[in-house]
Amino acid sequence: MIYEDLKTIEYGDAWDYQQQLFAEALNCKDKGIQTKNHLLFCEHPHTITIGKHGKQENLLFQESYLKEKGVSLFQIDRGGDITYHGPGQLVGYPIFDLESYDIGLRQYIFNVEEIIIRLLQSYNIQSERLDGAAGVWIDTTIPSKTRKIAAIGVRSSRFVTMHGFALNVNTDLSFFSLINPCGFVDKGVTSMEKELGYRIDMEEVKEKTKNLFEEIFIEKTVY
């Protein structure tokens, strides 16, 4: 697993880099050469992305207004609906050949959710999965309080993945008011900072998350 911290990077530049690594992995598979698995971490300037099955009505403002607010808009090829990326959010892009880990796409998404759940647990934030909705959530048994802390959206071809997850660490949650996050109108969003009441060390979060990726994907400590 090759790890890279891209720091703060424009969404389009990160997308181009993902596609380059994705194409290289598929080319290796075509030639019967062992693929390389890459784990990219970054933060983005204010950006809204709409997945291939996303609905335009979940974007609540015109693109001209988004430009005034300094928010970029991208229509992209991942699964899922609409989401926001911005400063204070840890975005992870695993370019993984799932066959090298002997897992399928469903287990891969489960593993990524498990990494985030374990990370949050290390900060005494209790989180869980929500049936029928990818990502990581809090208070799923109380519908009026259910809120999302991490989104997951993936594209895969021949068991190679791209795109990934977005965890709200110190994110300005007011930008989520520009959209119906992930298409939901009855659920909120939250961040580690909001749950704990203080700002979180992003470098510490990155290190812990990287270690959990190694633990779960390489050492296979998932159940």
Side-chain angles (χ1 to χ4, degrees), residues 147-166:
R147 55 206 183 275
K148 194 170 199 173
I149 195 166
I152 295 176
V154 178
R155 176 193 171 192
S156 70
S157 177
R158 297 178 56 207
F159 293 99
V160 177
T161 67
M162 64 179 291
H163 300 295
F165 71 90

Side-chain angles (χ1 to χ4, degrees), residues 187-205:
K187 294 177 177 62
V189 291
T190 190
S191 67
M192 295 175 67
E193 179 184 23
K194 183 175 181 180
E195 295 299 315
L196 295 173
Y198 59 85
R199 289 187 70 79
I200 313 301
D201 184 335
M202 180 65 86
E203 295 308 310
E204 180 182 81
V205 171

Side-chain angles (χ1 to χ4, degrees), residues 82-94:
I82 189 169
T83 197
Y84 161 78
H85 297 305
Q89 183 187 71
L90 175 59
V91 180
Y93 297 127

Side-chain angles (χ1 to χ4, degrees), residues 39 41 90-94 112 116 151-153 163-167 209 213:
L39 178 61
F41 283 175
L90 175 59
V91 180
Y93 297 127
V112 174
I116 297 168
I152 295 176
H163 300 295
F165 71 90
L167 170 65
T209 307
F213 263 92

Side-chain angles (χ1 to χ4, degrees), residues 35-63:
T35 54
K36 296 178 181 178
N37 294 314
H38 294 261
L39 178 61
L40 312 178
F41 283 175
C42 65
E43 294 179 60
H44 293 307
H46 302 297
T47 304
I48 288 171
T49 66
I50 303 176
K52 59 186 177 181
H53 301 304
K55 296 179 180 178
Q56 282 294 140
E57 56 263 36
N58 287 320
L59 178 63
L60 304 180
F61 292 87
Q62 297 290 333
E63 190 169 355

